Amino acid sequence: MNKIAWVAAPALLLFLPGCIARTAANIVTAPVRAGSQVVDWSTTSQEEADRNYGRKMRKQEAREARERKKEEERRRRECRDAGYDNCG
């Protein structure tokens, strides 16, 4: 058992500084990563802006198409009510 400890202790000492350095680096860079995440959440990328604009335009076009259809139906109904046959 004592021999295993003598062999394992130097091996652990070789890996331990890397773990400590990595932990220290994570602690130091954590505020920067958190700040960049907040900025990412609070801003709109160009891709998001384009997607939102496209969605807005499709909704507007659909609304205008419904309004045109209603207006066309109203026009045909008034035409028929006026006595015309070809209100097509």
Side-chain angles (χ1 to χ4, degrees):
M1 189 82 162
N2 198 9
K3 286 185 180 183
I4 293 175
W6 281 103
V7 172
L12 289 176
L13 289 175
L14 289 174
F15 294 115
L16 190 58
C19 293
I20 292 172
R22 185 176 304 191
T23 302
N26 287 341
I27 290 171
V28 169
T29 59
V32 174
R33 286 192 312 248
S36 66
Q37 186 65 43
V38 168
V39 169
D40 188 38
W41 286 337
S42 63
T43 59
T44 303
S45 69
Q46 187 61 45
E47 180 183 347
E48 290 171 315
D50 292 343
R51 185 176 57 234
N52 292 340
Y53 179 75
R55 182 179 299 128
K56 177 182 170 185
M57 293 308 294
R58 284 190 302 275
K59 285 182 179 182
Q60 180 179 347
E61 289 171 356
R63 184 174 46 251
E64 289 172 353
R66 285 190 304 268
E67 290 172 359
R68 278 193 306 271
K69 185 177 177 182
K70 274 185 170 181
E71 182 60 30
E72 183 64 22
E73 289 172 356
R74 186 193 62 75
R75 187 192 63 74
R76 276 192 241 130
R77 187 173 46 250
E78 287 179 357
C79 180
R80 283 191 303 269
D81 290 346
Y84 295 105
D85 290 335
N86 59 350
C87 297

